[in-house]
Amino acid sequence: MTNTQVPDVRPPRATAASAPPDVSARPSARDRGTRLLATLFLAPTIVGIVVFTVVPIVGSLVLSLFHWNVIDSPKWAGAANYREVFTDSTVLVSFRNTLVFMVLAVALQLLIALTLALAVNGRMPMWLRSVFRSAFFFPLVLSAASISVVMKYLFNQDFGVVNWALGLIGIAPVPWLTSENSAMAAVILVYVWQQFGFSFLLFVGGLNNIPKEIHEAASLDGATGLRKHLHVTLPLLSPTLLVATVVGVINALQVFEQPYVLTDGGPGDSTRTVVMVIYESAFEQLRFGEASAVGVLLFVLIMAVTALQFRLSRRFVHYQ
């Protein structure tokens, strides 16, 4: 009988090279330095968010539960400030005006910005395209108050340039800033003129990110003009459209400078917005508790509208 050698099936002995890494080892000096550097870079932003966003929000929420006129000590009010808000006709009208302004201004802003972006993105020299981009974005870098002062003269019923231009084509002078029917329209036009440049740049960037091959394929399939934009461009541009809509809605709900300078909330309360009510209650009437309650409700409204937009975006936004 021959002896057969049984193979050694025991697992190999672990060596230093094959041993698992020690997860409990301390990070190296280089890793600690990288983390410290990252913390130093993030610290100003974090401190800014806490000081200028988190603290004011919490402070407004707490202050909305008190009566305070700066001079006397705060007095506990509980939910009284909120009950007063819901029974104050001026506040309710301001919320209605703000919602109407938001819908009309954002719709007009997106329509103008998208139309101009499609036009600029068409066939034209690069230098001319750069000129249009700068010209359309320029109003956004100007002060809203200074623009409103200039526009107040332009929309003046008696000597304004707008009515003068309308008179050249036989249209009677329009009381832009003194009529309840036209005051909101004037405020919306001034606001959109200044704000559409941001959405315009977003749309230009979004159009440049759409592959040209998709448009060429659509053209080969017979899609042209408006049909191609509706069925090809808009679906591919929907993520950019969502961003522009969310930012536009948030800004429109906080509008203040244009109605304050142009009409001072008038005639009557036809152009009075929520932020104007907050300003008047706090700094003119020294009712900081009531102003904080209105601010908290505006914050809730902004969050609710934004959440609704993201909810609806699941159906209408298409990612490549």
Side-chain angles (χ1 to χ4, degrees), residues 46-241:
I46 296 175
V47 171
I49 293 175
V50 172
V51 173
F52 297 106
T53 302
V54 177
V55 172
I57 290 175
V58 175
S60 297
L61 181 60
V62 173
L63 190 57
S64 66
L65 303 176
F66 291 85
H67 290 307
W68 188 45
N69 61 1
V70 180
I71 302 174
D72 302 323
S73 300
K75 297 180 180 179
W76 174 258
N81 289 331
Y82 292 95
R83 288 194 297 267
E84 183 176 351
V85 166
F86 286 108
T87 57
D88 191 334
S89 60
T90 301
V91 177
L92 297 179
V93 168
S94 70
F95 272 96
R96 184 198 65 186
N97 292 340
T98 302
L99 291 174
V100 172
F101 176 88
M102 176 201 70
V103 173
L104 298 179
V106 173
L108 184 60
Q109 174 183 336
L110 296 179
L111 178 62
I112 294 176
L114 182 57
T115 303
L116 293 177
L118 291 172
V120 170
N121 200 57
R123 296 180 180 178
M124 66 172 56
M126 184 61 66
W127 68 269
L128 185 59
R129 185 176 301 176
S130 301
V131 170
F132 280 124
R133 289 179 181 178
S134 301
F136 293 150
F137 185 76
F138 180 72
L140 191 63
V141 303
L142 301 177
S143 168
S146 60
I147 289 178
S148 300
V149 170
V150 175
M151 290 296 181
K152 189 172 184 178
Y153 286 98
L154 295 181
F155 280 98
N156 186 277
Q157 180 179 356
D158 300 323
F159 54 83
V161 175
V162 176
N163 278 341
W164 172 80
L166 293 177
L168 297 178
I169 57 177
I171 299 179
V174 178
W176 291 104
L177 305 178
T178 57
S179 172
E180 293 185 0
N181 297 325
S182 56
M184 181 62 77
V187 173
I188 291 175
L189 290 176
V190 174
Y191 177 86
V192 171
W193 182 82
Q194 183 183 15
Q195 295 291 327
F196 83 91
F198 176 78
S199 300
F200 167 78
L201 287 186
L202 287 180
F203 290 143
V204 169
L207 290 172
N208 290 332
N209 288 330
I210 298 177
K212 295 182 180 180
E213 293 80 7
I214 297 180
H215 284 291
E216 294 174 356
S219 299
L220 293 176
D221 291 338
T224 58
L226 182 61
R227 182 180 179 184
K228 181 167 65 174
H229 289 316
L230 289 177
H231 297 284
V232 178
T233 304
L234 282 182
L236 295 176
L237 197 63
S238 56
T240 306
L241 185 61

